Amino acid sequence: MTLQAIYESIDSIRSLESGFWIFKGRAYEVQTSANEFSLRRHGGGGRFSPIYPTVKGRILGGEDVRVELDIKPDYLTIAYCSILCCFLLWAFFFSGKGRIISTVSSDWVNKILALLFCTYIPSLLCYYQTIGPTQNAERLVKSKLFLKEIKT
């Protein structure tokens, strides 16, 4: 792929729209410079809406044009979800009164249910907000720029 074709593909990403009917707007914020580009999808802006990463790329010239991508998720949200998991687990395991099912008399059933409740909900929230949008951004850039991963 040539350098000109890469810049045309980046411009096609810039022209993508999201929304419906009269509420359409640009889906991506794209900035380009000499041999670098960055793009970021505009988010929904809600409290639990996905947090889209900024994709930074550097175009390396030569016979075969190479593109180095730098895609990083929002580490603050991942850390928040991990701390929330730990706090909820600590609260359930060390509180004598915390029971999920009050009719079951065995503590191990309650602790297993607490473990599932305390880990799966923050994990799903973390995946929906950060990891999923990061994977989607990587797939979008690879498909639009016709990139192939080089194993070194």
Side-chain angles (χ1 to χ4, degrees), residues 55-74:
V55 178
K56 295 180 181 177
R58 197 170 79 194
I59 301 170
L60 306 172
E63 188 174 309
D64 292 331
V65 177
R66 291 184 174 189
V67 178
E68 284 184 0
L69 293 178
D70 183 25
I71 305 172
K72 293 181 182 174
D74 184 23

Side-chain angles (χ1 to χ4, degrees), residues 72-123:
K72 293 181 182 174
D74 184 23
Y75 291 117
L76 186 64
T77 304
I78 294 172
Y80 171 73
C81 289
S82 300
I83 291 170
L84 182 65
C85 281
C86 293
F87 179 73
L88 288 175
L89 281 174
W90 180 79
F92 269 112
F93 281 131
F94 294 113
S95 138
K97 298 177 185 175
R99 289 194 172 212
I100 294 177
I101 300 175
S102 61
T103 59
V104 177
S105 62
S106 64
D107 280 342
W108 67 272
V109 172
N110 281 322
K111 289 186 179 187
I112 288 174
L113 290 174
L115 177 70
L116 293 176
F117 174 76
C118 294
T119 56
Y120 282 133
I121 291 177
S123 298

Side-chain angles (χ1 to χ4, degrees), residues 2-152:
T2 65
L3 190 63
Q4 184 65 25
I6 288 177
Y7 280 120
E8 287 173 3
S9 297
I10 292 172
D11 284 337
S12 73
I13 293 173
R14 179 180 289 153
S15 65
L16 292 175
E17 292 184 340
S18 65
F20 62 96
W21 195 37
I22 61 171
F23 303 108
K24 286 188 178 183
R26 292 197 183 264
Y28 291 90
E29 176 184 335
V30 180
Q31 298 173 352
T32 56
S33 63
N35 286 331
E36 295 179 352
F37 66 90
S38 70
L39 60 98
R40 181 170 187 182
R41 184 176 175 140
H42 293 288
R47 179 177 290 169
F48 294 110
S49 65
I51 301 170
Y52 295 103
T54 300
V55 178
K56 295 180 181 177
R58 197 170 79 194
I59 301 170
L60 306 172
E63 188 174 309
D64 292 331
V65 177
R66 291 184 174 189
V67 178
E68 284 184 0
L69 293 178
D70 183 25
I71 305 172
K72 293 181 182 174
D74 184 23
Y75 291 117
L76 186 64
T77 304
I78 294 172
Y80 171 73
C81 289
S82 300
I83 291 170
L84 182 65
C85 281
C86 293
F87 179 73
L88 288 175
L89 281 174
W90 180 79
F92 269 112
F93 281 131
F94 294 113
S95 138
K97 298 177 185 175
R99 289 194 172 212
I100 294 177
I101 300 175
S102 61
T103 59
V104 177
S105 62
S106 64
D107 280 342
W108 67 272
V109 172
N110 281 322
K111 289 186 179 187
I112 288 174
L113 290 174
L115 177 70
L116 293 176
F117 174 76
C118 294
T119 56
Y120 282 133
I121 291 177
S123 298
L124 288 174
L125 181 67
C126 180
Y127 181 81
Y128 173 72
Q129 281 194 315
T130 58
I131 298 169
T134 302
Q135 292 173 344
N136 292 341
E138 182 179 8
R139 277 189 294 239
L140 174 95
V141 171
K142 283 183 178 179
S143 68
K144 291 290 185 181
L145 298 180
F146 305 106
L147 299 177
K148 295 177 186 170
E149 192 169 336
I150 300 174
K151 305 283 184 185
T152 56

